Structure formats: C-alpha cells, structure tokens
C-alpha cells in the first residue's frame, strides 16, 4: 500500500506540472508536491495506531497538493476497520467521497497534456514525444462523468473493505473470547468434577468406614461386658475356694462357676475374633479410600458401581449378617422383584440408604430392635424404611437419633445428633444429597411415639 499510494500521488503531481510550463510559482508548487509525494505513502504505516489523524492528514495533502485520492481511500478503509463508532463513519465517508470526487474532477478539467484522465482516453501514438498532437477520443463531459463515477466506485470499495476488515476482526475477537470462555468453562468443569469426586469419596469413606467402625465399637462394648462378667465369676470362684466349709456344696459351686467361666471365655474369644475380622475389614476399606485418592480416574469407576455396595441379595444378606452377629436385633421385611432390571446407580443409593439407616440406629440407639423394610419393583419404585425407638434412659451410649427432620429439599437441620452431642450426622446429609440427585425423596425424624424413621423413596430406573 505504501508504494502504491506514493506512486499515484507522484504520478498526478507530474501531470499537474506539465500545465505550468515557465510559471515559476506553479513549478515550485509541483516540485514541493513531488517531494511530499515520495514520503506521503509512509504515513499509512501508522494508520493502525492512529487512524483518525492519518485520515485527516491524508485529506489535507490531497486538498492542497495535486495528489491522487488513493491515499485518502486507504486511510478511510483503516479508519472504518478500527473504529466502531457510527458517528465517525457517518462523518468520514462523505468527506472521503467528496475529496475523492473533487480530486478526480480537478485532474479531468486540466489541459489534455496535464491530465491523467485525458491520457487514458487519448488516441495511441499521439501526444508526448511522438511529435503528433494529442487527440482525445472522448468529450470532456464524458471524461468528467467517468472520473466522478470511478471516484464514487473507489469510495464504495474502500468503505466495504473497511467494514469487511472490521467484521473479520470482530469475529476473531469473538472467537478468542469464546475460546477463553470455553477454557474457563473446562477449568470450572474440572474443578466441579474434582469437587464432586472428593464429595463422592468422602461419602464412600463415611458409608464404609462408619459401618465397620460402628460394628467394632459395638463388639468392643460387648467384649467389655463379657470381661466384666468373667472378672466377677473369677472373684466368686476365689471366694468359694477360700471359705469352702462344705466339700460337697463347694465342689458343686466350683463346678458351676468353672462352666460359666469357660462359657464366658468362649464368648470373649468369639467377640475377639469378630473384632479382628472387622478391624481387618476396616483397614481394607481405609486402604481402598486411600487408593481412590491416589488414582482419581479409577475412583470414578469404583464409586459409580460396586457389587459389594449395591442392592443385591448377596450384599443385603452379608450386611444383615454382620449387623446381627454384632448383636443388633433386626426385623426385616424384604420384597424385591426384577432386581436385574434396576439401574446400578439407583441400586447403589438404595444399599447405602439401608447401610446408613442401620449404622445410625446402631450408633445412636444400641440394644433396641430395628425394623427394616425394603421394597423394589417397577410399579412402586424402590422404598427403604428403617425405624428404631429410642433406647431406655440410662443405657450406655444412649442418645436421640436427632431432634429435627430432614427431607430431599434440605429443610431444617440435616443429620442426627451423636451420643456426644457434637456430631451432626454427615451420613444422613450425604444420603439426602445422593437421593436428591437421583430425583428421589428422603425423609427422617421422630413420630409421636418417639420412634425414629428413615424413609427413602427412589424411582425405578432401568
């Protein structure tokens, strides 16, 4: 663009110089124009940073010097491409069009030897150094009309080029913003996914470890009670040995006490074995949680569906067997139909609901009977109902299972109060969140008879 603009300015200035002949003032004017024309094209280098000043300067040069209007049209294109204000466009376009038409008419109205437009319409091999006078093949009116038409068309092309460059730049900017927004959305999605994974791992850790550790605590309490009984039996046996007066009666008493001690020792041995197995299971579960933290990609698959943590007959039998062997009294009513058609995710949530209900009852109401109802069929969906009354006042570790109700909308204080009055029952809150995501309902709280209920209703999804 710089060479083209400078060349056209220099060309028109050279034609203008031919009409002055011996006119010193006119010759000086065109010589000055030639010097400026050589440098004029270089002002377009700054058109991107300063489009308004360059446009104004170009217009001034074309008006006061015999230059072609190409430099004005180039600066107009740059101005329209880099300024989106409509007022600037509405002012610049008429000015550029007027200067362009005026510059072309100025050239067309000169004498034929000093006019670029007349040279275009001249007969070949006439004028100049040919020795034959210049003969123009068109009238002056035709030449002027042609010059005006070409000037207007050139202005239109400059305007369209400016708008095209602007629209392309706008599209690129929009694409850059869209790409940045997409990257930000990906980052937010990754953060959200990581947070969801962390929440899922935390819920998995609670569901598995809390269940195993509560069994450990219950068996440890039973072991403590058995140890106390054994200590009393040993004390009675020592008293019988020291104060036996009647050999027959003493031998009979010792025999009874010895049998009781053997039975209590066997009970302690069984409880100890249960604690050992449950501790090993809790350790395995802790290792599983640690592996999830180390391998997040595998954790997503593991958490999504686990045969050991889903609503299957084997998993339910294993869960109930563990709880009953730990001393829980469970009255279960289970009616499951077409289980193979149930969605794995729904089955996993239902299993965790059963597990959380039993764990909550064992932790906050030990020693009381627990009622469990599980119904699953396409017509009614999946229903899990766990109920347990409050333990008798004065029992070790007794407490209310909660003093408020929760639901799938999260109203009220979610969770149950622990026996130390500090724990808020994150398990019920996590279960409530899982059920909500599955479009189910979760309700828990006390009825008028002070019986705690956990009711989870899930849709049947195949």
């Amino acid at each position: 663009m710089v060479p083209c603009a400078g060349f056209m300015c220099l060309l028109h200035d050279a034609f203008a110089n031919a009409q002055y002949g011996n006119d010193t003032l006119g010759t000086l004017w065109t010589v000055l124009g030639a010097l400026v024309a050589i440098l004029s094209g270089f002002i377009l280098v700054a058109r991107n940073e300063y489009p308004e000043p360059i446009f104004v300067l170009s217009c001034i040069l074309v008006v006061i010097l015999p230059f072609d209007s190409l430099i004005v049209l180039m600066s107009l294109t740059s101005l329209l491409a880099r300024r989106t204000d409509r007022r600037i466009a509405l002012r610049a376009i008429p000015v550029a069009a007027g200067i362009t038409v005026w510059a072309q008419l100025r050239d067309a109205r000169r004498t034929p030897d000093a006019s670029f437009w007349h040279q275009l319409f001249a007969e070949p091999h006439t004028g100049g150094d040919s020795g034959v006078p210049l003969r123009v093949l068109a009238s002056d009116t035709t030449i002027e009309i042609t010059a005006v038409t070409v000037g207007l068309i050139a202005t239109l092309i400059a305007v369209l080029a400016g708008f095209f460059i602007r629209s392309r730049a706008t599209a690129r900017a929009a694409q850059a913003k869209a790409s940045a927004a997409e990257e930000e959305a990906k980052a937010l999605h990754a953060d959200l996914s990581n947070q969801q994974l962390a929440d899922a791992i935390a819920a998995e850790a609670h569901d598995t470890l809390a269940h195993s550790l509560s069994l450990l605590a219950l068996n440890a309490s039973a072991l403590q009670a058995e140890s106390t009984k054994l200590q009393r039996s040993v004390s009675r046996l020592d008293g019988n040995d020291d104060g036996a007066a009647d050999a027959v009666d003493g031998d009979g008493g010792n025999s009874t006490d010895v049998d009781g001690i053997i039975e209590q020792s066997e009970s302690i041995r069984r409880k100890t074995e249960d604690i050992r197995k449950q501790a090993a299971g809790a350790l395995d579960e802790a290792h599983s949680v640690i592996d999830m933290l180390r391998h997040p990609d595998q954790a997503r698959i593991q958490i999504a569906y686990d045969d050991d943590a889903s609503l299957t007959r084997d998993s339910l039998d294993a869960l109930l067997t563990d709880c009953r062997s730990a001393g829980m009294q469970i009255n279960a009513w289970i009616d499951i139909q077409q289980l193979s058609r149930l969605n794995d995710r729904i089955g996993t949530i239902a299993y965790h609901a059963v597990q959380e209900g039993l764990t909550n009852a064992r932790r906050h109401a030990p020693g009381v009977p627990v009622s469990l109802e599980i119904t699953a069929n396409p017509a009614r969906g999946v229903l899990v109902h766990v109920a347990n009354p409050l333990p008798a006042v004065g029992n070790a570790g007794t407490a209310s299972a909660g003093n408020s109700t929760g639901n799938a909308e999260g109203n009220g204080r979610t969770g149950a109060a622990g026996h130390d009055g500090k724990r808020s029952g994150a398990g019920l809150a996590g279960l409530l969140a899982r059920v909500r995501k599955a479009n189910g309902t979760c309700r828990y709280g006390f009825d008028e008879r002070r019986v705690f209920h956990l009711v989870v209703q899930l849709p049947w999804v195949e």
Side-chain angles (χ1 to χ4, degrees):
M1 286 189 177
V2 173
C4 290
F7 174 76
M8 291 303 297
C9 289
L10 188 61
L11 179 64
H12 277 252
D13 183 79
F15 276 107
N17 183 61
Q19 72 177 346
Y20 294 110
N22 297 325
D23 187 349
T24 304
L25 191 60
T27 302
L28 290 176
W29 180 58
T30 56
V31 169
L32 176 62
L35 295 176
V36 176
I38 295 174
L39 302 175
S40 62
F42 291 98
I43 67 174
L44 296 176
V45 175
R47 68 189 183 279
N48 295 333
E49 291 78 12
Y50 310 101
E52 294 93 342
I54 298 302
F55 176 74
V56 173
L57 181 58
S58 300
C59 293
I60 293 174
L61 291 177
V62 173
V63 170
I64 65 176
L65 295 172
F67 287 172
D68 182 60
S69 59
L70 179 61
I71 189 172
V72 173
L73 298 179
M74 288 183 177
S75 60
L76 174 65
T77 299
S78 180
L79 178 63
L80 296 179
R82 287 159 181 82
R83 294 294 181 265
T84 57
D85 192 345
R86 292 184 59 187
R87 293 174 297 179
I88 295 177
L90 293 176
R91 293 171 184 172
I93 293 175
V95 171
I99 292 177
T100 299
V101 171
W102 181 80
Q104 302 306 320
L105 282 177
R106 179 180 60 184
D107 179 85
R109 290 176 177 177
R110 295 193 188 112
T111 60
D113 290 334
S115 172
F116 173 75
W117 282 106
H118 280 81
Q119 294 292 331
L120 292 180
F121 286 91
E123 183 180 343
H125 309 296
T126 61
D129 297 334
S130 64
V132 179
L134 181 67
R135 290 196 295 268
V136 181
L137 300 179
S139 64
D140 291 343
T141 303
T142 302
I143 294 175
E144 291 176 2
I145 293 175
T146 303
V148 171
T149 303
V150 171
L152 293 176
I153 293 175
T155 302
L156 178 61
I157 293 174
V159 171
L160 294 178
F163 287 153
F164 172 75
I165 295 174
R166 181 204 297 179
S167 62
R168 187 176 60 180
T170 303
R172 288 178 179 175
Q175 181 64 32
K177 290 181 180 179
S179 299
E182 184 178 359
E183 292 298 327
E184 184 178 0
K186 288 181 180 179
L188 292 176
H189 178 73
D191 293 342
L192 179 61
S193 179
N194 292 336
Q195 183 60 44
Q196 291 175 343
L197 177 61
D199 293 341
I201 292 176
E204 185 73 14
H206 177 275
D207 292 340
T208 56
L209 291 178
H211 177 72
S212 299
L213 294 178
S214 63
L215 287 176
L216 279 173
L218 187 61
N219 281 322
S221 298
L223 180 61
Q224 182 181 13
E226 293 292 336
S227 299
T228 301
K229 291 181 182 179
L230 179 61
Q231 184 179 7
R232 291 174 181 173
S233 298
V234 172
S235 298
R236 287 198 303 270
L237 181 59
D238 290 340
N240 288 336
D241 289 339
D242 294 338
D246 190 328
V248 177
D249 293 341
D251 291 342
N254 288 342
S255 176
T256 302
D257 290 340
V258 169
D259 291 339
I261 291 173
I262 293 175
E263 182 178 352
Q264 291 166 2
S265 299
E266 180 63 21
S267 177
I268 291 175
R269 187 194 66 78
R270 290 195 301 270
K271 293 295 182 184
T272 304
E273 180 64 17
D274 290 341
I275 291 177
R276 185 195 66 78
K277 292 179 180 179
Q278 291 158 5
L283 182 61
D284 292 339
E285 291 164 356
H287 287 162
S288 177
V289 172
I290 293 173
D291 289 339
M292 290 182 188
L293 296 174
R294 289 177 176 173
H295 307 288
D297 294 336
Q298 297 179 6
R300 299 179 192 276
I301 301 175
Q302 184 175 351
I303 292 175
Y305 180 66
D306 185 359
D307 289 336
D308 295 333
S310 58
L311 194 65
T312 63
R313 291 178 175 83
D314 293 339
S315 62
L316 288 176
D317 290 341
L319 178 61
L320 296 179
T321 300
D322 289 342
C323 293
R324 283 167 175 159
S325 64
M328 289 188 68
Q329 303 176 40
I330 302 176
N331 300 318
W333 190 86
I334 301 175
D335 181 15
I336 299 178
Q337 302 175 16
Q338 304 181 29
L339 185 59
S340 60
R341 296 171 52 188
L342 182 63
N343 179 267
D344 297 337
R345 178 168 171 265
I346 298 297
T348 300
I349 297 174
Y351 176 85
H352 286 309
V354 177
Q355 189 180 55
E356 178 60 31
L358 296 178
T359 301
N360 196 61
R362 184 169 58 250
R363 181 189 300 135
H364 305 302
V368 301
V370 179
S371 299
L372 171 63
E373 177 186 356
I374 303 175
T375 303
N377 56 65
R380 294 187 56 188
V382 180
L383 173 66
V384 175
H385 182 191
V386 183
N388 62 273
L390 285 176
V393 178
N395 286 355
T398 62
S400 68
N403 56 9
S404 65
T405 61
N407 51 51
E409 287 71 39
N411 297 331
R413 194 175 68 109
T414 60
H419 62 75
D420 57 1
K422 298 179 181 179
R423 182 175 176 83
S424 62
L428 288 177
L431 176 63
L432 192 147
R434 290 187 181 187
V435 173
R436 181 191 303 156
K437 288 183 179 180
N439 298 323
T441 59
C442 176
R443 295 177 289 110
Y444 55 88
F446 291 103
D447 61 14
E448 64 278 2
R449 296 176 299 172
R450 302 297 293 169
V451 176
F452 185 81
H453 296 269
L454 170 63
V455 181
V456 174
Q457 179 70 55
L458 295 167
W460 182 274
V461 180
E462 298 184 2

